[in-house]
Amino acid sequence: LLFEIMFMTTLSCGLGIFPWGALIHVIDPLIGGPIEKLLRSGGPPICQVYELCTSFWHSMSHFRRIVQHWMSGLAYLPENEQDYDLYLQEVKNAVPPENLFEWNM
């Protein structure tokens, strides 16, 4: 168990400093391109399908692609509809009308 903890810690902590991420560009096409398909299609969500290759890619990229957005203020979670409407109105006021994209779902 101690060896497993040390090995997994070294592997996961090393993803940020060692060039192991370059292996994804080599291995992904050889195994059918699951990471490329995930990025091109946008799904399935990783909370539903989390295979080994997806786990490896996610471990390497989640700080840059996910956490960075959360920490820059994009993780606003309104508590009620009024807070959401107020936030949305602030965004509409800040964005020039020609750059604002709206749609009706």
Side-chain angles (χ1 to χ4, degrees):
L1 180 63
L2 181 60
F3 175 75
E4 181 181 354
I5 293 171
M6 289 174 35
F7 177 75
M8 292 308 293
T9 301
T10 303
L11 179 65
S12 64
C13 291
L15 290 175
I17 58 172
F18 294 120
W20 298 339
L23 292 175
I24 284 194
H25 297 288
V26 174
I27 295 172
D28 191 51
L30 296 175
I31 60 173
I35 299 301
E36 182 180 358
K37 290 175 188 170
L38 174 74
L39 294 174
R40 287 188 183 273
S41 68
I46 61 171
C47 61
Q48 294 177 1
V49 177
Y50 201 67
E51 299 168 344
L52 180 62
C53 192
T54 305
S55 173
F56 184 66
W57 171 80
H58 186 249
S59 297
M60 286 186 328
S61 63
H62 79 281
F63 282 111
R64 182 174 56 89
R65 293 182 179 261
I66 300 169
V67 175
Q68 186 177 27
H69 293 289
W70 291 345
M71 298 304 153
S72 65
L74 295 178
Y76 175 69
L77 302 172
E79 295 183 13
N80 54 47
E81 187 175 352
Q82 291 79 19
D83 290 346
Y84 174 79
D85 290 338
L86 180 64
Y87 177 75
L88 185 59
Q89 190 58 46
E90 289 176 8
V91 170
K92 288 179 180 181
N93 292 341
V95 176
E98 65 273 7
N99 293 339
L100 191 62
F101 181 70
E102 293 186 84
W103 70 93
N104 186 359
M105 293 181 19

